[in-house]
């Protein structure tokens, strides 16, 4: 649940990853530079920044496909935060 809320207080490396991903999504690709620096500072690389951007892009494409095709959902809903 911690990660779904936009943080990972149990691990500094995961916390930096989650906060960067949230910033990329929330700011439409314009991540907070301080979060990028923190991400790299905890041990990730510049290449890993690209990985996070690619995964955010994949989520956008998935959401667009879902919005247009509106497939039926055949699994239980996740509890709201």
């Amino acid at each position: 649940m911690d990660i779904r809320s936009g943080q990972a207080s149990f691990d500094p490396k995961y916390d930096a990853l989650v906060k960067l991903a949230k910033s990329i999504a929330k700011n439409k690709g314009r991540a907070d530079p301080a979060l990028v620096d923190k991400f790299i500072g905890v041990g990730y690389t510049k290449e890993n920044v690209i990985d996070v951007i690619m995964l955010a892009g994949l989520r956008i494409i998935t959401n667009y496909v879902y919005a247009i095709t509106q497939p039926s959902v055949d699994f239980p809903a996740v509890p709201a935060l």
Side-chain angles (χ1 to χ4, degrees):
M1 292 297 268
D2 205 21
I3 291 175
R4 285 181 59 204
S5 68
Q7 62 182 355
S9 58
F10 58 88
D11 183 288
K13 211 167 171 183
Y14 282 144
D15 193 53
L17 170 61
V18 171
K19 287 179 178 172
L20 177 60
K22 181 178 179 179
S23 181
I24 289 170
K26 184 177 179 181
N27 299 306
K28 298 180 181 177
R30 291 184 170 88
D32 180 341
L35 293 176
V36 175
D37 292 341
K38 173 105 177 164
F39 181 77
I40 293 170
V42 297
Y44 290 106
T45 65
K46 290 181 181 179
E47 291 82 5
N48 294 139
V49 174
I50 302 301
D51 294 335
V52 176
I53 294 166
M54 294 294 292
L55 289 170
L58 178 61
R59 292 297 305 165
I60 291 168
I61 292 167
T62 302
N63 288 340
Y64 284 8
V65 169
Y66 177 82
I68 291 171
T69 63
Q70 298 184 352
S72 60
V73 177
D74 60 355
F75 52 87
V78 176
L81 293 175

